[in-house]
Amino acid sequence: MPPGLHDEEGTFWDFNVVKKFESQVCELRLSSRRRVPTLSMRIVVKALLGMSIAALVCCYSAYRIVTSENDFYTIQHKVFKEYGDKITEDVRRQLVTSVSSTKALAALVQLDAGKTLLSPLEAKVHEVVSASVAVAAAAVSNASLTAQEAITAQKQNATTSLISNLSLAGFNIVAESLIDSYKGITNLQLAPSGVVSVIYPLASNEAAIGHDLFNIASRQAGARLAIKSRKITFIGPITLLQNGLSAIIARYPIFIENRNYRGQVSEFPTWWGFATMLCTLDDLFASTMIGSASALGTSFVFYAHGESSETFLFASEDVPGRPAKVEFDPEKQWLQYAKSQQPVITGFTEPDLNVDWQMLIWPSEGILRIAPCQPRPSIS
């Protein structure tokens, strides 16, 4: 084969070069045929991967839409539980603090025994107790009074003298200082031999002066219990005799050793009388953080939980049926309403005071729903 040829124009073509060019063209064609399927497969894989990711995102979004409401109410329930626990702990702390003021007042009496501030009061205690027996005997013989009425009359007469002789200015200063320090207290009292003799502040409490705790059926058992136990006796909530307000009372028996007062409980001759703290429920709760609860969009009900009944203590103003004072309330609309709101339940107990207080709390704008995965609290 000739190595090459000349065409009509005189161009020389080398056959070896032509064959080499043809072989390169064939290789390019084969290579392009192999690469087209490879590129298509990569595009398909990437498309499928993108679609899978999009599907996963859609599924997750749908799941979050379904579960977001439950998550919200679960978190809401947890937040209200924590807030409720803080409120009840603050109320418990204030209650214990207010009640302990009676021990401070009792310490004052014990330290001042036979000295300046209360020595006239002590002398009158002796006079009241010793004279009562003679007056009662004379009154009964004349059939004008019963023995108990005569003793009470004698104590009340002596109380009038007590108030004039006692350094009320000194007592008032001490009582005012205790009230300012302990908070949540409506008034402080001293009741030598069980007769309410001094009160601070006295304004609007004058009617309580002269009350003989051993001549009031509703008070006598608690007074004797306090003396025999030598512990604080907690009473309430009750309706006060002098103004009809709802309040709680704490009495602490005062004993002064090496002194014989020959009081109404003969087996405890060193018993001097009572230091008493009284606080209305409004004053007690006003000293706690519960006042800010309504401002934060929270509704609540506080009540004393008993074995057979519940006694209203305090509630936010938006609770229907909330009683103005402690009274017999068989329907308990306030409690029924609170339970209907599916509230969070919290509370505290103070065994030494025989106190079991509970609170139901919920958002003011609506019912507090609990996620299905969370057990609903039982409200008995």
Side-chain angles (χ1 to χ4, degrees):
M1 178 181 290
L5 294 174
H6 291 275
D7 59 11
E8 295 178 355
E9 296 179 356
T11 303
F12 180 76
W13 292 91
D14 189 340
F15 290 137
N16 293 330
V17 173
V18 172
K19 287 183 178 181
K20 185 176 181 181
F21 177 77
E22 288 179 350
S23 66
Q24 289 178 348
V25 170
C26 290
E27 288 180 2
L28 287 173
R29 287 178 178 176
L30 292 174
S31 175
S32 64
R33 289 175 182 176
R34 289 195 299 270
R35 291 172 66 186
V36 168
T38 302
L39 291 174
S40 300
M41 183 61 67
R42 289 179 180 177
I43 294 173
V44 170
V45 169
K46 288 182 178 180
L48 290 175
L49 181 60
M51 293 173 62
S52 299
I53 294 174
L56 288 174
V57 171
C58 291
C59 291
Y60 180 75
S61 298
Y63 169 77
R64 293 305 300 167
I65 292 173
V66 172
T67 61
S68 60
E69 183 177 0
N70 287 338
D71 290 343
F72 169 76
Y73 289 123
T74 300
I75 295 172
Q76 187 187 45
H77 181 273
K78 181 180 179 181
V79 169
F80 269 76
K81 182 64 169 65
E82 292 177 352
Y83 184 50
D85 289 343
K86 288 182 179 179
I87 292 177
T88 52
E89 173 57 24
D90 192 42
V91 172
R92 186 202 66 79
R93 177 199 56 77
Q94 185 57 63
L95 177 66
V96 173
T97 300
S98 299
V99 168
S100 64
S101 65
T102 57
K103 293 185 178 180
L105 190 56
L108 167 69
V109 175
Q110 292 167 334
L111 290 172
D112 191 71
K115 298 178 182 177
T116 306
L117 180 61
L118 300 174
S119 56
L121 184 60
E122 289 190 47
K124 286 298 179 182
V125 170
H126 282 288
E127 179 185 331
V128 168
V129 176
S130 59
S132 296
V133 178
V135 173
V140 172
S141 64
N142 294 329
S144 59
L145 293 172
T146 65
Q148 186 59 58
E149 288 173 340
I151 292 174
T152 300
Q154 177 64 15
K155 288 181 178 180
Q156 290 176 342
N157 291 336
T159 298
T160 303
S161 178
L162 275 175
I163 295 172
S164 62
N165 289 324
L166 178 66
S167 175
L168 281 179
F171 170 77
N172 291 346
I173 290 173
V174 172
E176 182 180 15
S177 177
L178 290 175
I179 291 174
D180 288 343
S181 300
Y182 286 79
K183 308 296 184 185
I185 300 172
T186 303
N187 66 63
L188 292 172
Q189 309 172 12
L190 287 177
S193 196
V195 179
V196 179
S197 302
V198 287
I199 303 176
Y200 179 85
L202 183 60
S204 76
N205 293 300
E206 294 86 352
I209 294 294
H211 280 169
D212 183 354
L213 300 178
F214 288 89
N215 195 33
I216 303 175
S218 60
R219 308 289 193 264
Q220 186 178 115
R224 288 188 177 276
L225 177 63
I227 296 170
K228 292 181 178 180
S229 66
R230 292 178 176 259
K231 295 181 179 179
I232 292 174
T233 299
F234 186 85
I235 303 170
I238 61 172
T239 300
L240 297 177
L241 299 175
Q242 59 268 36
N243 53 26
L245 296 177
S246 301
I248 55 178
I249 299 174
R251 292 196 183 92
Y252 186 69
I254 303 173
F255 295 88
I256 302 178
E257 300 305 325
N258 302 321
R259 288 178 176 270
N260 191 331
Y261 293 98
R262 300 187 298 278
Q264 300 193 63
V265 184
S266 57
E267 60 266 41
F268 297 99
T270 61
W271 171 65
W272 181 93
F274 292 111
T276 303
M277 180 230 62
L278 182 149
C279 66
T280 63
L281 296 177
D282 288 342
D283 285 343
L284 174 68
F285 284 99
S287 300
T288 69
M289 63 182 294
I290 202 170
S292 62
S294 297
L296 296 175
T298 301
S299 300
F300 59 88
V301 163
F302 244 109
Y303 65 97
H305 180 67
E307 294 182 358
S308 58
S309 64
E310 295 83 16
T311 303
F312 176 82
L313 295 171
F314 201 72
S316 55
E317 294 183 355
D318 61 336
V319 175
R322 61 195 298 266
K325 60 182 181 180
V326 178
E327 58 187 4
F328 181 65
D329 183 18
E331 295 183 359
K332 293 184 172 59
Q333 297 181 14
W334 50 273
L335 187 58
Q336 294 179 19
Y337 175 80
K339 290 179 178 179
S340 70
Q341 301 303 302
Q342 299 182 21
V344 171
I345 307 173
T346 183
F348 66 90
T349 59
E350 276 295 326
D352 290 342
L353 301 178
N354 194 27
V355 167
D356 181 1
W357 287 7
Q358 291 192 3
M359 183 176 75
L360 308 181
I361 182 172
W362 65 94
S364 300
E365 66 276 8
I367 295 176
L368 176 64
R369 298 180 179 85
I370 303 173
C373 59
Q374 298 292 329
R376 294 181 180 272
S378 60
I379 306 177
S380 56

